[in-house]
Amino acid sequence: MRTAPTILHLDMDAFFASVEQASKPSLRGKAVVVGGLGPRGVVATCSYEARVFGVHSAMPMAQARRLAPNAAYLVPRFALYRAVSEQVMALLRALSPLVEPLSLDEAFVDLEAGEAAWDAGSARLSGVKLRADIRAVTGLTGSVGLAASKMLAKIASEQAKPDGLVLIEPGTERALLGPMSVRTLPGVGPATGDHLRRAGIHTVEELAEAGEDELVRLVGKAHGHALYAMALARDERSVVAERETKSVSVEDTYDVDIHDRVRVGLEVQRLADRCVRRLRGAGLSGRTIQLKVRRYDFSTLTRSETLRGPTDDPVVVREAALRLLEAVDTTGGVRLLGVGVSGLADFTQEDLFAQAAEEAEQAAEEESGEERPKEAEEPQERRWAPGRDVHHAEHGHGWVQGSGLGRVTVRFETPTSEVGRVRTFRVEDPALSVAEPLPLVRGPAGRGARS
């Protein structure tokens, strides 16, 4: 481990919800919940005001609504979140060439590699400046942890939340970790935590006192060795700038179980096509096709098939996914389907038979003059999902508060305006259209937040 706290961990505060609050003046300081709004939707994230009521990420949306019935419930706007994330990541890369993103709102930075810090004082100054730059560029807050290892930097940023900075001085790690719950350590989830608790181990200090042999006996060789090392604050992992993509996948959860076998097949084909589009967008191909099926009783089945060589051909992926589906019983109904591709490569071994089949299919279409069926247009009321950006010819930019019974309610405000007025329109009003999000911060610093 290092002798200076030059590994920084940034975790943006309630990122999706904070972006929504920054974008919508009327929601600032209010409970905001972002996620899937259907009967089976789950919470992606929520504001700190919503957490007071017990709402948290991964909670079923129906439960969240019971706990916080007056919160604002919004669909995610991932294009905007990605744009804001790119602004934040650019600030991190200005600090160091070694930036390891973990998600849109979280990353490790090796300050030493960028010569941005060499001791505790310079590390703290870098963290303070970073937080100020993030606020200036995006209008958002982030929490920063600084330590001599990745594990401790992440624990420090969790302690810093919300909108804070915590630095762990080298040499103080054992004393700091000792009284903490074992659940503080990465990889210790509810199941492992309960197993350790039943063995009388509640804190990190008790974990260290148990000894390596006892931990191996309790949780297995690999996990036991890792737990003991973490309990002693040992973590030699480096910040890795490029994380290799291991798989590309897409999945959908359905509001109502699908019982029709033909419909299940069509959904699998649609997901396969989406997966290939994502694969090609990343310039990749893959050898192993995977199918995921969650049935009516929540049992989840996965099946896979490995091809002779990597492919990004939609016909090949589609046909492989359908072959895998044949081995799965969907009689009782399906609530989730997913298609993925792994064994990735940056080249393609063309499948001549599939290519010929696709060309023949296209030729038959041209001969008959028929086009492939297009996906049904999105229902008008579903188009006006809560949180979406809209523009009205007379009233300007706004966002959807809700819709139903042929009406849509819009609040007209922008990130830099005062709290706006609310108006209601018919869903088919020709003056109302879907719009792109506006930058969160006015002026040059806010450019790039538009998606």
Side-chain angles (χ1 to χ4, degrees), residues 51-127:
R51 296 179 193 190
V52 171
F53 298 98
V55 180
H56 58 77
S57 60
M59 171 182 283
M61 193 61 78
Q63 184 181 353
R65 288 184 185 275
R66 288 193 296 271
L67 292 172
N70 297 319
Y73 290 86
L74 311 175
V75 295
R77 296 186 295 164
F78 287 111
L80 177 59
Y81 307 153
R82 279 192 294 270
V84 177
S85 173
E86 286 168 10
Q87 292 179 299
V88 173
M89 296 301 165
L91 292 173
L92 299 183
R93 293 188 183 100
L95 283 174
S96 171
L98 288 183
V99 175
E100 183 179 340
L102 304 179
S103 61
L104 289 177
D105 61 339
E106 185 181 2
F108 287 109
V109 183
D110 187 334
L111 297 176
E112 196 174 293
E115 299 182 353
W118 51 92
D119 59 13
S122 56
R124 184 180 293 276
L125 287 174
S126 292

Side-chain angles (χ1 to χ4, degrees), residues 3 90 110 126 133 148 198 223 417:
T3 57
D110 187 334
S126 292
D133 289 344
R198 287 194 294 272
H223 204 182
S417 75

